[in-house]
Amino acid sequence: MSNQLTPTDLMLQARDTAETYLNQSIRIIDSKFGEGYAKAHPELIAGFMKTAASDFHTAILNQKLEDLIAQVRDLLTMIRGNHD
C-alpha cells in the first residue's frame, strides 16, 4: 500500500499551505509594524510567502538528499562486503 498523495490531495495541500503562509505573514508583519501594515504593503506578504515556501522546499530537498546519501553509502558498504 502506497502512502503517496494523489494529485488532488497535493493540490488541496498546496492551497492550505499557501493560506497558512498568508495568514502567518499578515499576523507577523502586523505584530512587528502595527495593525493594517501588511494590508498596506502586500509586497511584504508576497516576500514572506516566497521566503517561507523556499525555506520549506530547501529543508525537504536537503532531507531527501541526506536519505539518498545514506542509501548509497549502505549500498556501497554492501558491495564492498561482497568483494572481500
Side-chain angles (χ1 to χ4, degrees):
M1 184 169 143
S2 175
N3 63 355
Q4 294 290 330
L5 296 174
T6 67
T8 300
D9 292 336
L10 292 170
M11 180 188 67
L12 294 172
Q13 179 180 320
R15 180 205 60 202
D16 292 344
T17 300
E19 182 179 18
T20 297
Y21 291 163
L22 174 65
N23 292 334
Q24 290 294 315
S25 67
I26 293 169
R27 185 186 62 75
I28 291 169
I29 291 166
D30 281 355
S31 75
K32 300 286 184 195
F33 300 107
E35 188 68 30
Y37 197 85
K39 185 176 181 180
H41 298 277
E43 71 280 3
L44 293 178
I45 296 170
F48 184 103
M49 292 178 70
K50 285 180 184 177
T51 300
S54 178
D55 182 67
F56 179 73
H57 177 266
T58 300
I60 293 297
L61 183 60
N62 185 58
Q63 185 180 58
K64 295 300 179 184
L65 286 173
E66 286 178 356
D67 291 347
L68 182 60
I69 289 168
Q71 291 174 2
V72 169
R73 281 187 183 137
D74 291 346
L75 183 58
L76 288 173
T77 299
M78 186 175 67
I79 290 170
R80 286 182 187 134
N82 288 338
H83 288 358
D84 287 339

Coordinates of all heavy atoms in Angstrom, one line a residue:
M1 N 0.8 -1.2 0.0 CA 0.0 0.0 0.0 C 0.9 1.2 0.0 O 1.8 1.4 0.8 CB -0.9 0.0 1.2 CG -1.9 1.1 1.3 SD -3.1 0.8 2.6 CE -3.3 2.4 3.2
S2 N 0.6 2.2 -0.9 CA 1.4 3.4 -1.1 C 0.9 4.5 -0.2 O -0.3 4.6 0.0 CB 1.4 3.8 -2.5 OG 2.1 5.0 -2.7
N3 N 1.8 5.3 0.4 CA 1.4 6.4 1.1 C 1.5 7.7 0.3 O 1.5 8.8 0.9 CB 2.2 6.5 2.4 CG 3.6 6.7 2.2 OD1 4.1 6.7 1.1 ND2 4.4 6.9 3.3
Q4 N 1.6 7.6 -1.0 CA 1.7 8.7 -1.9 C 0.4 9.5 -2.0 O -0.7 8.9 -2.0 CB 2.1 8.3 -3.3 CG 3.5 7.7 -3.4 CD 4.6 8.7 -3.2 OE1 4.5 9.8 -3.5 NE2 5.7 8.3 -2.7
L5 N 0.5 10.8 -1.9 CA -0.7 11.6 -2.1 C -1.1 11.7 -3.5 O -0.3 11.7 -4.4 CB -0.4 13.0 -1.6 CG -0.1 13.1 -0.1 CD1 0.2 14.6 0.3 CD2 -1.3 12.7 0.8
T6 N -2.4 11.8 -3.8 CA -2.9 11.9 -5.1 C -2.7 13.3 -5.6 O -2.5 14.2 -4.8 CB -4.4 11.6 -5.2 OG1 -5.1 12.6 -4.5 CG2 -4.8 10.2 -4.6
P7 N -2.8 13.6 -6.9 CA -2.7 14.9 -7.4 C -3.7 15.9 -6.8 O -3.4 17.0 -6.4 CB -2.9 14.8 -8.9 CG -2.4 13.4 -9.2 CD -2.8 12.6 -8.0
T8 N -4.9 15.4 -6.5 CA -5.9 16.2 -5.9 C -5.5 16.5 -4.4 O -5.7 17.7 -4.0 CB -7.3 15.5 -5.9 OG1 -7.7 15.3 -7.3 CG2 -8.4 16.3 -5.2
D9 N -5.0 15.5 -3.7 CA -4.5 15.7 -2.3 C -3.4 16.8 -2.3 O -3.4 17.7 -1.5 CB -4.0 14.5 -1.7 CG -5.1 13.4 -1.5 OD1 -6.3 13.8 -1.3 OD2 -4.7 12.2 -1.4
L10 N -2.5 16.7 -3.3 CA -1.4 17.6 -3.3 C -1.9 19.0 -3.6 O -1.4 20.0 -3.1 CB -0.4 17.2 -4.4 CG 0.4 15.9 -4.0 CD1 1.2 15.4 -5.2 CD2 1.3 16.1 -2.8
M11 N -2.9 19.2 -4.5 CA -3.5 20.5 -4.8 C -4.1 21.1 -3.6 O -3.9 22.3 -3.3 CB -4.5 20.3 -5.9 CG -5.1 21.7 -6.3 SD -6.5 21.5 -7.5 CE -7.7 20.7 -6.4
L12 N -4.9 20.3 -2.9 CA -5.5 20.8 -1.7 C -4.5 21.2 -0.6 O -4.6 22.2 0.1 CB -6.5 19.8 -1.1 CG -7.7 19.5 -2.0 CD1 -8.5 18.3 -1.5 CD2 -8.6 20.8 -2.2
Q13 N -3.4 20.3 -0.5 CA -2.4 20.6 0.5 C -1.7 21.9 0.1 O -1.4 22.7 1.0 CB -1.4 19.5 0.5 CG -0.2 19.7 1.4 CD 0.7 18.5 1.4 OE1 0.3 17.4 1.4 NE2 2.0 18.8 1.5
A14 N -1.4 22.1 -1.2 CA -0.7 23.4 -1.6 C -1.6 24.6 -1.3 O -1.1 25.6 -0.8 CB -0.5 23.3 -3.1
R15 N -2.9 24.5 -1.5 CA -3.8 25.6 -1.2 C -3.8 25.9 0.3 O -3.7 27.0 0.7 CB -5.2 25.2 -1.6 CG -6.2 26.3 -1.3 CD -7.6 25.8 -1.2 NE -7.7 24.9 -0.1 CZ -8.7 23.9 0.0 NH1 -9.6 23.8 -0.9 NH2 -8.7 23.1 1.1
D16 N -3.8 24.8 1.1 CA -3.8 25.0 2.6 C -2.5 25.6 3.0 O -2.5 26.5 3.9 CB -4.1 23.7 3.3 CG -5.5 23.2 3.1 OD1 -6.4 24.0 2.6 OD2 -5.8 22.0 3.3
T17 N -1.4 25.2 2.4 CA -0.1 25.7 2.8 C 0.0 27.2 2.5 O 0.4 28.0 3.3 CB 1.0 24.9 2.1 OG1 0.9 23.6 2.5 CG2 2.4 25.5 2.4
A18 N -0.5 27.6 1.3 CA -0.5 29.0 0.9 C -1.3 29.8 1.8 O -0.9 30.9 2.2 CB -1.0 29.1 -0.6
E19 N -2.5 29.3 2.2 CA -3.3 30.0 3.1 C -2.6 30.2 4.5 O -2.7 31.3 5.1 CB -4.7 29.3 3.3 CG -5.6 30.1 4.2 CD -7.0 29.4 4.4 OE1 -7.1 28.2 4.1 OE2 -7.9 30.0 4.8
T20 N -2.0 29.2 4.9 CA -1.2 29.2 6.2 C -0.1 30.3 6.1 O 0.0 31.1 7.0 CB -0.6 27.9 6.6 OG1 -1.7 26.9 6.8 CG2 0.2 28.0 7.8
Y21 N 0.6 30.3 5.0 CA 1.7 31.3 4.8 C 1.1 32.7 4.8 O 1.6 33.6 5.4 CB 2.5 31.0 3.6 CG 3.4 29.8 3.5 CD1 3.8 29.3 2.4 CD2 3.7 29.2 4.7 CE1 4.7 28.2 2.3 CE2 4.6 28.1 4.7 CZ 5.0 27.6 3.5 OH 5.8 26.5 3.5
L22 N 0.0 32.9 4.1 CA -0.7 34.2 4.0 C -1.1 34.6 5.4 O -0.8 35.8 5.8 CB -1.9 34.1 3.1 CG -2.8 35.3 3.0 CD1 -2.0 36.5 2.4 CD2 -4.0 35.1 2.2
N23 N -1.8 33.8 6.1 CA -2.3 34.2 7.5 C -1.1 34.5 8.4 O -1.2 35.5 9.2 CB -3.2 33.1 8.0 CG -4.5 33.0 7.3 OD1 -5.0 33.9 6.7 ND2 -5.1 31.8 7.3
Q24 N -0.1 33.7 8.4 CA 1.0 33.9 9.3 C 1.8 35.2 8.9 O 2.2 35.9 9.7 CB 2.0 32.7 9.2 CG 1.4 31.5 9.9 CD 1.2 31.7 11.4 OE1 2.1 32.2 12.1 NE2 0.1 31.2 11.9
S25 N 1.9 35.4 7.6 CA 2.6 36.6 7.1 C 1.9 37.9 7.6 O 2.5 38.8 8.1 CB 2.8 36.7 5.6 OG 1.6 36.8 5.0
I26 N 0.6 37.9 7.5 CA -0.2 39.1 7.9 C 0.0 39.3 9.5 O 0.2 40.4 9.9 CB -1.7 38.9 7.5 CG1 -1.8 39.0 6.0 CG2 -2.5 40.0 8.2 CD1 -3.1 38.6 5.5
R27 N -0.2 38.2 10.2 CA -0.1 38.2 11.6 C 1.3 38.7 12.1 O 1.4 39.6 12.9 CB -0.4 36.9 12.3 CG -0.4 36.9 13.8 CD -0.6 35.5 14.4 NE 0.5 34.6 14.1 CZ 1.7 34.6 14.6 NH1 2.0 35.6 15.5 NH2 2.7 33.8 14.3
I28 N 2.3 38.2 11.5 CA 3.7 38.5 11.9 C 4.0 40.0 11.5 O 4.6 40.7 12.3 CB 4.7 37.5 11.4 CG1 4.5 36.2 12.1 CG2 6.1 38.0 11.5 CD1 5.2 35.0 11.5
I29 N 3.7 40.3 10.3 CA 4.0 41.7 9.8 C 3.3 42.7 10.6 O 3.9 43.7 11.1 CB 3.7 41.8 8.3 CG1 4.7 41.0 7.5 CG2 3.7 43.3 7.9 CD1 4.3 40.8 6.0
D30 N 2.0 42.5 10.9 CA 1.2 43.4 11.7 C 1.7 43.5 13.1 O 1.7 44.5 13.8 CB -0.3 43.1 11.7 CG -1.0 43.5 10.4 OD1 -0.3 44.2 9.6 OD2 -2.2 43.2 10.3
S31 N 2.2 42.3 13.7 CA 2.7 42.4 15.0 C 4.0 43.2 15.1 O 4.3 43.8 16.2 CB 2.9 40.9 15.6 OG 4.1 40.3 15.0
K32 N 4.8 43.2 14.0 CA 6.0 43.9 14.0 C 5.9 45.4 13.7 O 6.6 46.3 14.3 CB 7.0 43.4 13.0 CG 7.4 41.9 13.2 CD 8.4 41.8 14.4 CE 8.8 40.3 14.5 NZ 9.4 40.0 15.7
F33 N 4.9 45.7 12.8 CA 4.8 47.1 12.3 C 3.5 47.8 12.6 O 3.3 49.0 12.3 CB 5.1 47.1 10.8 CG 6.4 46.6 10.4 CD1 6.5 45.3 9.8 CD2 7.6 47.3 10.6 CE1 7.8 44.8 9.4 CE2 8.8 46.8 10.3 CZ 8.9 45.6 9.7
G34 N 2.6 47.1 13.2 CA 1.3 47.7 13.6 C 0.2 47.1 12.7 O 0.3 46.7 11.6
E35 N -1.0 47.2 13.3 CA -2.2 46.6 12.7 C -2.5 47.3 11.3 O -2.4 48.5 11.2 CB -3.4 46.9 13.6 CG -4.7 46.2 13.2 CD -4.6 44.7 13.2 OE1 -3.9 44.1 14.1 OE2 -5.3 44.1 12.4
G36 N -2.7 46.5 10.3 CA -3.0 47.0 9.0 C -1.8 47.2 8.1 O -2.0 47.5 6.9
Y37 N -0.6 47.1 8.7 CA 0.6 47.4 7.9 C 0.7 46.4 6.7 O 1.1 46.8 5.6 CB 1.8 47.3 8.8 CG 3.0 48.0 8.2 CD1 3.3 49.4 8.3 CD2 4.0 47.2 7.4 CE1 4.4 50.0 7.7 CE2 5.1 47.8 6.9 CZ 5.3 49.2 7.0 OH 6.4 49.8 6.4
A38 N 0.4 45.1 7.0 CA 0.6 44.1 6.0 C -0.4 44.4 4.8 O 0.0 44.3 3.6 CB 0.3 42.7 6.5
K39 N -1.6 44.8 5.1 CA -2.6 45.1 4.1 C -2.1 46.3 3.2 O -2.3 46.3 2.0 CB -4.0 45.4 4.7 CG -5.1 45.6 3.7 CD -6.4 45.8 4.4 CE -7.5 46.0 3.4 NZ -8.8 46.2 4.0
A40 N -1.5 47.2 3.8 CA -1.0 48.4 3.1 C 0.3 48.1 2.3 O 0.7 48.9 1.5 CB -0.7 49.5 4.1
H41 N 0.9 47.0 2.6 CA 2.2 46.6 2.0 C 2.2 45.1 1.5 O 2.9 44.3 2.1 CB 3.4 46.8 2.9 CG 3.5 48.3 3.4 ND1 4.2 49.2 2.6 CD2 3.0 48.9 4.4 CE1 4.2 50.3 3.2 NE2 3.4 50.2 4.3
P42 N 1.4 44.9 0.5 CA 1.2 43.5 0.0 C 2.6 42.9 -0.5 O 2.7 41.6 -0.5 CB 0.2 43.5 -1.1 CG 0.2 45.0 -1.5 CD 0.5 45.8 -0.3
E43 N 3.5 43.7 -0.8 CA 4.8 43.2 -1.3 C 5.5 42.5 -0.1 O 6.3 41.6 -0.4 CB 5.7 44.3 -1.9 CG 6.2 45.3 -0.9 CD 5.2 46.4 -0.4 OE1 4.0 46.4 -0.9 OE2 5.6 47.3 0.4
L44 N 5.3 42.9 1.1 CA 5.9 42.2 2.3 C 5.2 40.9 2.5 O 5.9 39.9 2.8 CB 5.7 43.1 3.5 CG 6.5 44.4 3.6 CD1 6.1 45.1 4.9 CD2 7.9 44.1 3.5
I45 N 3.9 40.8 2.2 CA 3.2 39.5 2.3 C 3.8 38.6 1.3 O 4.1 37.4 1.5 CB 1.7 39.7 2.1 CG1 1.1 40.5 3.3 CG2 1.0 38.3 2.0 CD1 -0.3 40.9 3.0
A46 N 3.9 39.0 0.0 CA 4.5 38.2 -1.1 C 5.9 37.7 -0.7 O 6.2 36.6 -0.9 CB 4.4 39.0 -2.4
G47 N 6.7 38.6 -0.2 CA 8.1 38.3 0.1 C 8.1 37.2 1.2 O 8.9 36.3 1.2
F48 N 7.3 37.4 2.2 CA 7.2 36.5 3.3 C 6.8 35.1 2.8 O 7.4 34.1 3.2 CB 6.2 37.0 4.4 CG 6.1 36.1 5.6 CD1 6.7 36.5 6.8 CD2 5.4 34.9 5.6 CE1 6.6 35.8 7.9 CE2 5.3 34.2 6.7 CZ 5.9 34.6 7.9
M49 N 5.8 35.1 2.0 CA 5.3 33.8 1.5 C 6.3 33.1 0.6 O 6.5 31.9 0.7 CB 4.0 34.0 0.7 CG 2.8 34.4 1.6 SD 1.3 34.7 0.7 CE 0.9 33.0 0.2
K50 N 7.0 33.8 -0.2 CA 8.1 33.3 -1.1 C 9.2 32.7 -0.2 O 9.8 31.6 -0.5 CB 8.6 34.3 -2.1 CG 7.7 34.6 -3.2 CD 8.3 35.7 -4.1 CE 7.4 36.1 -5.2 NZ 7.9 37.1 -6.1
T51 N 9.6 33.5 0.8 CA 10.7 33.0 1.7 C 10.3 31.8 2.4 O 11.1 30.8 2.5 CB 11.0 34.1 2.7 OG1 11.5 35.3 1.9 CG2 12.1 33.7 3.6
A52 N 9.1 31.7 3.0 CA 8.6 30.5 3.7 C 8.6 29.3 2.8 O 9.0 28.2 3.2 CB 7.2 30.8 4.3
A53 N 8.1 29.5 1.6 CA 8.0 28.4 0.6 C 9.4 27.9 0.2 O 9.6 26.7 0.1 CB 7.2 28.8 -0.6
S54 N 10.3 28.8 0.0 CA 11.6 28.5 -0.4 C 12.3 27.7 0.7 O 13.0 26.7 0.5 CB 12.4 29.7 -0.8 OG 13.7 29.4 -1.1
D55 N 12.2 28.2 1.9 CA 12.8 27.6 3.1 C 12.3 26.1 3.3 O 13.1 25.2 3.5 CB 12.5 28.4 4.3 CG 13.2 27.8 5.5 OD1 14.5 27.8 5.6 OD2 12.5 27.3 6.4
F56 N 11.0 26.0 3.1 CA 10.4 24.6 3.2 C 10.9 23.7 2.1 O 11.3 22.6 2.4 CB 8.9 24.7 3.2 CG 8.2 23.4 3.3 CD1 8.2 22.7 4.5 CD2 7.6 22.8 2.1 CE1 7.6 21.4 4.5 CE2 7.0 21.6 2.2 CZ 7.0 20.9 3.4
H57 N 11.0 24.2 0.9 CA 11.5 23.4 -0.2 C 12.9 23.0 0.0 O 13.3 21.8 -0.2 CB 11.4 24.2 -1.5 CG 11.9 23.6 -2.7 ND1 13.2 23.7 -3.1 CD2 11.4 22.6 -3.5 CE1 13.4 23.0 -4.2 NE2 12.3 22.3 -4.5
T58 N 13.7 23.9 0.5 CA 15.1 23.6 0.8 C 15.3 22.6 1.9 O 16.1 21.7 1.7 CB 15.9 24.9 1.1 OG1 15.8 25.8 0.1 CG2 17.4 24.6 1.5
A59 N 14.5 22.7 2.9 CA 14.6 21.7 4.0 C 14.2 20.3 3.6 O 14.8 19.4 3.9 CB 13.7 22.2 5.2
I60 N 13.1 20.2 2.8 CA 12.6 18.9 2.3 C 13.7 18.3 1.3 O 14.0 17.1 1.4 CB 11.2 19.0 1.6 CG1 10.2 19.4 2.6 CG2 10.9 17.8 0.9 CD1 10.0 18.3 3.7
L61 N 14.2 19.2 0.4 CA 15.2 18.7 -0.5 C 16.4 18.2 0.2 O 16.9 17.1 -0.1 CB 15.5 19.8 -1.5 CG 16.5 19.4 -2.6 CD1 16.0 18.3 -3.5 CD2 16.8 20.6 -3.5
N62 N 16.9 18.9 1.2 CA 18.0 18.5 2.0 C 17.8 17.2 2.7 O 18.6 16.3 2.7 CB 18.4 19.6 3.0 CG 19.6 19.3 3.8 OD1 20.7 19.1 3.2 ND2 19.5 19.2 5.1
Q63 N 16.6 17.1 3.3 CA 16.2 15.8 4.0 C 16.3 14.6 3.0 O 16.8 13.6 3.3 CB 14.9 16.0 4.6 CG 14.4 14.8 5.4 CD 13.0 15.1 6.0 OE1 12.1 15.3 5.3 NE2 12.9 15.0 7.3
K64 N 15.7 14.8 1.8 CA 15.6 13.7 0.8 C 17.0 13.4 0.3 O 17.4 12.2 0.1 CB 14.7 14.0 -0.3 CG 13.3 14.2 0.1 CD 12.8 12.9 0.7 CE 11.3 13.0 1.1 NZ 10.8 11.8 1.8
L65 N 17.9 14.4 0.1 CA 19.3 14.1 -0.3 C 20.0 13.4 0.8 O 20.8 12.5 0.5 CB 19.9 15.5 -0.7 CG 19.5 16.1 -2.0 CD1 20.1 17.5 -2.1 CD2 19.8 15.2 -3.2
E66 N 19.8 13.8 2.0 CA 20.5 13.0 3.1 C 20.1 11.6 3.1 O 20.9 10.7 3.3 CB 20.2 13.7 4.4 CG 21.0 15.0 4.6 CD 20.7 15.7 5.9 OE1 19.8 15.2 6.7 OE2 21.3 16.7 6.2
D67 N 18.8 11.3 2.9 CA 18.3 9.9 2.8 C 18.9 9.2 1.7 O 19.3 8.0 1.8 CB 16.8 9.9 2.7 CG 16.0 10.4 3.9 OD1 16.6 10.5 5.0 OD2 14.8 10.7 3.7
L68 N 19.0 9.8 0.5 CA 19.6 9.2 -0.6 C 21.1 8.9 -0.4 O 21.6 7.8 -0.7 CB 19.5 10.1 -1.8 CG 20.0 9.6 -3.2 CD1 19.3 8.3 -3.5 CD2 19.8 10.6 -4.3
I69 N 21.8 9.8 0.2 CA 23.2 9.6 0.5 C 23.4 8.4 1.4 O 24.3 7.6 1.2 CB 23.9 10.9 1.1 CG1 24.0 12.0 0.0 CG2 25.2 10.6 1.8 CD1 24.3 13.4 0.6
A70 N 22.6 8.3 2.5 CA 22.6 7.2 3.4 C 22.4 5.9 2.6 O 23.1 4.9 2.9 CB 21.6 7.4 4.5
Q71 N 21.4 5.9 1.7 CA 21.1 4.7 1.0 C 22.3 4.3 0.1 O 22.7 3.1 -0.1 CB 19.9 4.9 0.1 CG 18.6 4.9 1.0 CD 17.4 5.3 0.1 OE1 17.5 5.4 -1.1 NE2 16.2 5.4 0.8
V72 N 22.9 5.3 -0.6 CA 24.1 5.0 -1.4 C 25.3 4.5 -0.6 O 25.9 3.5 -1.0 CB 24.5 6.3 -2.2 CG1 25.9 6.1 -2.9 CG2 23.5 6.6 -3.2
R73 N 25.5 5.0 0.6 CA 26.5 4.5 1.5 C 26.3 3.1 1.9 O 27.2 2.3 1.9 CB 26.6 5.4 2.7 CG 27.3 6.7 2.5 CD 27.6 7.4 3.9 NE 28.2 8.7 3.6 CZ 27.8 9.8 4.2 NH1 26.9 9.9 5.1 NH2 28.5 10.9 3.9
D74 N 25.0 2.8 2.2 CA 24.7 1.4 2.6 C 24.9 0.5 1.5 O 25.4 -0.6 1.6 CB 23.2 1.3 3.1 CG 22.9 2.0 4.4 OD1 23.9 2.4 5.1 OD2 21.7 2.3 4.7
L75 N 24.5 0.9 0.3 CA 24.7 0.1 -0.9 C 26.2 -0.2 -1.2 O 26.7 -1.3 -1.5 CB 24.1 0.7 -2.1 CG 24.1 -0.1 -3.5 CD1 23.4 -1.4 -3.3 CD2 23.4 0.7 -4.5
L76 N 27.0 0.9 -1.1 CA 28.5 0.7 -1.3 C 29.1 -0.2 -0.3 O 30.0 -1.0 -0.6 CB 29.1 2.1 -1.3 CG 28.9 3.0 -2.5 CD1 29.5 4.4 -2.3 CD2 29.5 2.4 -3.7
T77 N 28.6 -0.1 1.0 CA 29.1 -0.9 2.0 C 28.8 -2.4 1.7 O 29.6 -3.3 1.9 CB 28.5 -0.5 3.4 OG1 28.9 0.8 3.7 CG2 29.0 -1.4 4.5
M78 N 27.6 -2.6 1.3 CA 27.2 -4.0 0.9 C 28.0 -4.5 -0.3 O 28.4 -5.7 -0.2 CB 25.7 -4.0 0.6 CG 25.1 -5.4 0.3 SD 23.3 -5.3 0.0 CE 23.2 -4.5 -1.5
I79 N 28.2 -3.7 -1.3 CA 29.0 -4.1 -2.4 C 30.4 -4.4 -2.0 O 31.0 -5.5 -2.4 CB 29.0 -3.0 -3.5 CG1 27.6 -2.9 -4.1 CG2 30.0 -3.3 -4.6 CD1 27.4 -1.7 -5.1
R80 N 31.0 -3.6 -1.2 CA 32.4 -3.8 -0.8 C 32.5 -5.1 0.0 O 33.5 -5.8 0.0 CB 32.9 -2.6 0.0 CG 33.2 -1.4 -0.8 CD 33.8 -0.3 0.1 NE 33.9 0.9 -0.7 CZ 33.5 2.1 -0.3 NH1 33.0 2.3 0.9 NH2 33.7 3.2 -1.1
G81 N 31.5 -5.3 0.9 CA 31.4 -6.5 1.7 C 31.4 -7.8 0.8 O 31.9 -8.8 1.2
N82 N 30.7 -7.7 -0.3 CA 30.6 -8.9 -1.2 C 31.9 -9.2 -1.9 O 32.1 -10.3 -2.5 CB 29.5 -8.7 -2.2 CG 28.1 -8.8 -1.5 OD1 28.0 -9.4 -0.5 ND2 27.1 -8.3 -2.1
H83 N 32.8 -8.2 -2.0 CA 34.1 -8.4 -2.8 C 35.2 -8.7 -1.9 O 36.4 -8.8 -2.4 CB 34.4 -7.1 -3.6 CG 33.5 -6.9 -4.8 ND1 32.5 -7.8 -5.1 CD2 33.4 -6.0 -5.7 CE1 31.8 -7.4 -6.2 NE2 32.4 -6.2 -6.5
D84 N 35.0 -8.8 -0.6 CA 36.1 -9.1 0.3 C 36.4 -10.6 0.4 O 35.7 -11.5 0.1 CB 35.8 -8.6 1.7 CG 35.9 -7.1 1.8 OD1 36.6 -6.5 0.9 OD2 35.4 -6.5 2.7

